[in-house]
Amino acid sequence: MSDNPALRQTPQPETAPRTTETLLPPVDVIEDGAGITLYADLPGVPKDRLHLHVEADTLTIEGEIALPAPEGLESIHSEVGLPLYRRVFTLSKELDADRVAAEFAHGVLTLRIPKVEHAQPRRIPIQVG
Amino acid sequence: MFYRSLFPRDVFAELDRIQRGLQQGGGDLSPNIRGTARGGYPAMNVGTTPRSVEIYAFAPGIDPASLDVQLEKGVLTVAGERTSVLPPKDAPATVHIDERFSGRFRRVVTLPDDVDPNAVDARYTDGVLHISVQRKAAAQPRRIHIQ
């Protein structure tokens, strides 16, 4: 899908105990000169049930769905069959994990991950000899 | 399943049912003429209670004003548009992953016959459109007194 080394998806390691099954939220990832913007669809997750972790070079997005359900609700058709979202990305060195900015509105998470200063683009003059 | 395997009343009908279930990706108990739009946008969950039918449309990132919900002759339609976040082609940016839906969408759900088209409540919270349709009073369970 993406061979960009900057924001690689981490394959789920077989050895790590996965206690629960989770939904994989769809994302858009766009890179420009100053950094990376990530959009993730997490419908049904209230703000207080969204968890973002940046640990070393690993970014984890987790969210728990909380829907209002009247008493005695019986499901007759279900396309969203799990209550948890989870997706893990590996960040590369030129991204500044300490300055990640997050916004969450209408079930869409927007993450802005800037590049560290020295990694930002410079125009390289070409000498004509 | 135990009951079914002990008393195979009609083996061919049973095979047909299993085959159709497989074709539709299995799991759908009530396939209808509009097919099973699994994987469509928005994803939908539908549930019932004795008093109401509850529809949850997972439609994140939509301006609620652009959502159009219609109930006509027992058929519920949810339509709208989601704008793309992707940069224009000539922008100095690279798209690495492009999985999220964008564009116009429309999904249709057939509701049970006993719903009351005048008692519909729709709410958009955390990117989920929750539509609650009351069932007609006559169809709700009543306790019958025994003389």
Side-chain angles (χ1 to χ4, degrees):
Chain A
M1 197 177 307
S2 164
D3 43 12
N4 166 49
L7 189 70
R8 208 180 299 127
Q9 289 183 69
T10 311
Q12 297 295 341
E14 294 287 327
T15 47
R18 296 288 307 280
T19 46
T20 44
E21 267 190 279
T22 54
L23 300 164
L24 195 69
V27 298
D28 285 351
V29 175
I30 300 150
E31 178 170 6
D32 56 44
I36 275 183
T37 311
L38 181 150
Y39 300 88
D41 281 352
L42 302 150
V45 177
K47 238 180 189 133
D48 58 333
R49 305 230 180 155
L50 174 73
H51 302 289
L52 297 170
H53 308 279
V54 182
E55 202 184 306
D57 59 349
T58 305
L59 166 74
T60 307
I61 301 168
E62 274 178 322
E64 195 185 330
I65 298 178
L67 295 177
E71 222 182 302
L73 185 69
E74 273 181 53
S75 175
I76 56 168
H77 176 82
S78 174
E79 291 169 5
V80 181
L82 294 167
L84 286 169
Y85 296 100
R86 184 182 153 90
R87 198 152 179 182
V88 181
F89 295 92
T90 303
L91 305 175
S92 68
K93 267 191 212 128
E94 76 272 16
L95 294 172
D96 193 345
D98 296 332
R99 291 194 297 137
V100 178
E103 213 180 291
F104 190 45
H106 291 325
V108 177
L109 169 72
T110 308
L111 279 184
R112 177 71 188 165
I113 314 163
K115 291 182 185 172
V116 288
E117 294 292 327
H118 64 78
Q120 294 202 5
R122 275 174 303 149
R123 205 179 173 84
I124 295 154
I126 299 159
Q127 310 278 336
V128 182
Chain B
M1 277 322 275
F2 184 60
Y3 169 79
R4 277 183 198 282
S5 57
L6 271 179
F7 305 100
R9 280 177 294 185
D10 185 340
V11 176
F12 292 106
E14 190 64 17
L15 279 175
D16 184 49
R17 190 188 68 83
I18 291 167
Q19 192 172 20
R20 273 183 295 132
L22 286 173
Q23 278 166 3
Q24 286 157 352
D28 201 337
L29 293 170
S30 53
N32 67 28
I33 198 161
R34 293 186 179 86
T36 46
R38 211 164 272 275
Y41 184 93
M44 280 191 170
N45 282 10
V46 182
T48 57
T49 74
R51 292 177 188 282
S52 66
V53 179
E54 310 285 332
I55 299 107
Y56 301 88
F58 293 77
I62 307 248
D63 172 13
S66 80
L67 271 171
D68 181 31
V69 180
Q70 286 188 21
L71 180 57
E72 201 189 346
K73 293 181 184 125
V75 174
L76 180 83
T77 308
V78 178
E81 184 167 11
R82 184 156 97 151
T83 46
S84 174
V85 296
L86 301 181
K89 277 207 173 86
D90 53 349
T94 317
V95 177
H96 294 301
I97 306 179
D98 169 16
E99 295 168 351
R100 295 166 69 243
F101 173 89
S102 68
R104 297 200 63 80
F105 61 86
R106 185 180 189 86
R107 279 201 75 177
V108 175
V109 185
T110 316
L111 298 181
D113 295 334
D114 60 352
V115 295
D116 183 352
N118 300 314
V120 188
D121 180 52
R123 234 169 252 277
Y124 186 66
T125 320
D126 298 327
V128 175
L129 176 68
H130 177 197
I131 303 160
S132 180
V133 189
Q134 298 295 306
R135 299 181 128 167
K136 286 184 185 130
Q140 288 180 11
R142 272 178 306 159
R143 199 179 183 88
I144 295 154
H145 283 285
I146 300 160
Q147 306 271 331

